[in-house]
């Protein structure tokens, strides 16, 4: 499975600020605590998330956060495949420093660990990146030959803010400053209008749908069926645990399919096979790594999970796609193999002491949230 959009350093925020909408959640609950986090905190939090992903069947994740070198170190230790971006936000000297961090991350980690770790450029969102910052992000991506990972049309507030600040839509803004000239990973895409769909038909990359986060924050419903019918690639992601509470991609798979069926009042609006592809090969296409992973084919990387089927809730088997989409959960994953190496066997993560990581994160959480 490919988790195409997350923030693994946010495992420490799981359950700390539920029932808040996005902007209140960010400004009052998340950003003030993030300001206190150290590099060591992000390393431990990333290890905790990495264990959770491995144990629920994710072999590749696409991350945007700060102290991303620590997330790279965690991915290296655990054996995970990762695409990482330093979040670039704001303007002035702060933004310039973040851009410098982003370039250093690329120089230090891109294609390391036998190519398992890749780096892209990560402007946070249209409404948090003014024109000069966004322009510099695009220039950096052009110079590095890197994709761009950005939050996009997550809430109606964003639609309103962009109109008030710039007199244009997020899509028009990103197009004006050259974002769509690159391979681009657009996280969320909840409020996409018809004019934006015309633009998105021609991009390299696609949308990353985060159904649990969007539902939990009250952000709305992304129309996946409409995006697919217009030839737009759609991947699946979890977002961070502060908003989604879980990195179990099987939970996202279920909700994604059920939402489209409910929205269209049609049981066939999104099939089990379609949503499994969103979590595998279509996710790889959005991330630009489908020549390496996303399907079990000769000459691709051996990223494989083994699911034990001798369980009451997984029997009988009539259709394997239906079983995977609607019946399997992350705890059914017994073995995880990444790049041909076993990283979990019989539910035991092999490269790290899981209980020590849990204890470390409990200690860090006590300090941060005191």
């Amino acid at each position: 499975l490919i988790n195409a959009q997350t923030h693994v350093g946010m495992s420490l925020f799981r359950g700390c600020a539920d029932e808040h909408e996005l902007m209140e959640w960010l400004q009052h609950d998340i950003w003030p605590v993030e300001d206190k986090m150290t590099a060591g905190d992000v390393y431990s939090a990333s290890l905790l998330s990495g264990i959770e992903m491995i144990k629920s069947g994710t072999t590749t994740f696409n991350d945007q956060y700060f102290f991303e070198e620590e997330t790279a170190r965690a991915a290296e230790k655990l054996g995970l495949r990762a695409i990482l971006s330093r979040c670039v936000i704001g303007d002035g000297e702060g933004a310039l420093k973040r851009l410098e961090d982003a370039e250093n991350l690329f120089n230090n980690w891109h294609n390391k660990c036998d190519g398992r770790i890749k780096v892209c450029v990560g402007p946070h969102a249209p409404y948090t990146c003014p024109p000069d910052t966004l322009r510099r992000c695009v220039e950096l991506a052009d110079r590095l030959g890197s994709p761009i990972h950005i939050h996009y049309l997550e809430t109606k507030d964003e639609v309103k803010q962009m109109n008030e600040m710039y007199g244009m839509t997020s899509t028009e803004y990103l197009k004006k400053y050259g974002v769509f000239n690159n391979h681009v990973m657009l996280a969320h895409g909840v409020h996409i209008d018809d004019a934006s769909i015309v633009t998105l038909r021609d991009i390299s990359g696609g949308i990353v749908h985060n159904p649990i986060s969007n539902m939990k924050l009250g952000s709305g419903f992304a129309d996946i069926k409409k995006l697919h019918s217009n030839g737009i690639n759609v991947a699946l992601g979890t977002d961070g645990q502060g908003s989604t509470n879980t990195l179990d991609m099987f939970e996202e798979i279920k909700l994604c399919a059920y939402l489209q069926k409910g929205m269209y009042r049609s049981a066939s609006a999104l099939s089990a096979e379609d949503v499994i592809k969103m979590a595998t090969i279509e996710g790889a296409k959005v991330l630009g790594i489908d020549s390496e992973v996303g399907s079990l084919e000769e000459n691709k990387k051996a990223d494989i999970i083994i699911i034990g089927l001798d369980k009451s809730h997984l029997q009988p088997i009539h259709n394997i796609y239906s079983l995977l989409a609607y019946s399997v959960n992350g705890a059914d994953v017994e073995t995880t193999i990444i790049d041909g190496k076993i990283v979990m066997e019989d539910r035991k993560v092999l490269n790290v002491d899981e209980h020590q990581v849990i204890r470390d994160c409990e200690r860090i959480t006590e300090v941060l949230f005191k």
Side-chain angles (χ1 to χ4, degrees):
L1 299 177
I2 294 172
N3 186 342
Q5 202 266 332
T6 189
H7 313 286
V8 298
M10 293 189 74
S11 58
L12 306 179
F13 293 88
R14 191 195 321 264
C16 78
D18 292 340
E19 280 70 65
H20 294 176
E21 294 185 6
L22 180 66
M23 293 315 299
E24 177 190 3
W25 176 79
L26 283 172
Q27 293 173 356
H28 299 289
D29 303 311
I30 302 302
W31 287 340
V33 179
E34 285 182 336
D35 286 343
K36 303 175 186 177
M37 292 177 73
T38 68
D41 296 342
V42 172
Y43 176 68
S44 294
S46 297
L47 282 177
L48 188 68
S49 292
I51 292 167
E52 182 180 355
M53 288 189 287
I54 287 170
K55 295 190 78 169
S56 56
T58 289
T59 56
T60 299
F61 70 99
N62 179 34
D63 193 78
Q64 186 189 104
Y65 211 50
F66 51 91
F67 294 130
E68 281 290 85
E69 293 85 356
E70 303 305 318
T71 299
R73 287 178 55 228
E76 178 182 36
K77 185 174 183 63
L78 290 163
L80 277 160
R81 190 177 305 282
I83 299 176
L84 308 176
S85 56
R86 200 284 184 229
C87 180
V88 180
I89 190 170
D91 56 9
E93 291 299 318
L96 291 175
K97 177 61 171 65
R98 295 179 187 107
L99 282 160
E100 182 182 342
D101 291 344
E103 186 163 6
N104 288 337
L105 178 70
F106 186 93
N107 292 334
N108 293 332
W109 283 98
H110 185 62
N111 278 332
K112 294 297 173 69
C113 304
D114 297 321
R116 278 192 295 107
I117 296 178
K118 301 184 187 300
V119 176
C120 66
V121 176
H124 175 259
Y127 63 94
T128 57
C129 290
D132 185 62
T133 300
L134 191 61
R135 187 185 299 111
R136 289 176 184 273
C137 285
V138 172
E139 289 171 355
L140 179 61
D142 290 344
R143 189 165 76 252
L144 300 177
S146 159
I148 291 175
H149 175 194
I150 186 169
H151 296 80
Y152 169 74
L153 288 173
E154 185 175 358
T155 66
K156 283 190 175 180
D157 282 344
E158 177 182 334
V159 176
K160 181 181 177 183
Q161 279 182 276
M162 291 302 293
N163 184 56
E164 290 174 350
M165 289 191 296
Y166 303 113
M168 63 180 81
T169 66
S170 290
T171 307
E172 291 167 336
Y173 183 71
L174 297 184
K175 185 175 182 179
K176 177 178 179 178
Y177 292 102
V179 171
F180 295 138
N181 296 334
N182 301 73
H183 186 96
V184 64
M185 311 147 186
L186 300 165
H188 299 290
V190 176
H191 299 281
I192 299 175
D193 60 20
D194 289 342
S196 295
I197 282 181
V198 173
T199 299
L200 297 176
R201 285 176 188 160
D202 297 325
I203 67 170
S204 173
I207 301 293
V208 185
H209 180 38
N210 301 264
I212 294 178
S213 175
N214 296 154
M215 294 300 94
K216 186 163 174 281
L217 292 171
S219 299
F221 305 82
D223 192 336
I224 306 308
K225 181 176 171 61
K226 187 173 185 178
L227 294 172
H228 275 165
S229 67
N230 279 275
I232 297 165
N233 292 323
V234 185
L236 272 179
T238 62
D239 215 347
Q241 296 99 310
S243 61
T244 197
N245 295 66
T246 178
L247 298 182
D248 185 345
M249 283 288 290
F250 285 107
E251 297 293 322
E252 302 288 346
I253 287 167
K254 290 178 181 63
L255 184 58
C256 175
Y258 297 156
L259 279 173
Q260 299 305 303
K261 294 172 190 295
M263 285 170 61
Y264 279 90
R265 299 183 182 180
S266 167
S268 61
L270 189 67
S271 72
E273 183 173 356
D274 286 339
V275 75
I276 292 297
K277 286 180 177 178
M278 288 172 63
T280 54
I281 187 60
E282 203 164 345
K285 288 177 181 176
V286 171
L287 300 188
I289 55 174
D290 51 303
S291 63
E292 298 182 60
V293 298
S295 56
L296 301 180
E297 296 181 59
E298 188 176 356
N299 295 324
K300 283 196 174 184
K301 305 292 186 182
D303 290 6
I304 301 166
I305 62 173
I306 299 172
I307 296 167
L309 300 179
D310 56 342
K311 298 164 184 166
S312 58
H313 67 284
L314 300 181
Q315 293 294 331
I317 302 170
H318 294 289
N319 180 291
I320 193 64
Y321 286 109
S322 292
L323 187 81
L324 290 169
Y326 307 134
S327 299
V328 169
N329 60 67
D332 295 321
V333 179
E334 296 182 352
T335 299
T336 301
I337 302 165
I338 302 174
D339 210 17
K341 299 178 178 64
I342 298 173
V343 299
M344 181 182 76
E345 188 169 18
D346 295 329
R347 299 291 298 162
K348 179 176 174 57
V349 177
L350 301 181
N351 297 334
V352 71
D353 183 338
E354 179 177 355
H355 297 294
Q356 183 60 54
V357 172
I358 291 171
R359 287 193 293 270
D360 291 343
C361 288
E362 287 175 339
R363 174 182 51 79
I364 292 166
T365 303
E366 277 188 22
V367 173
L368 281 177
F369 291 89
K370 182 180 292 184

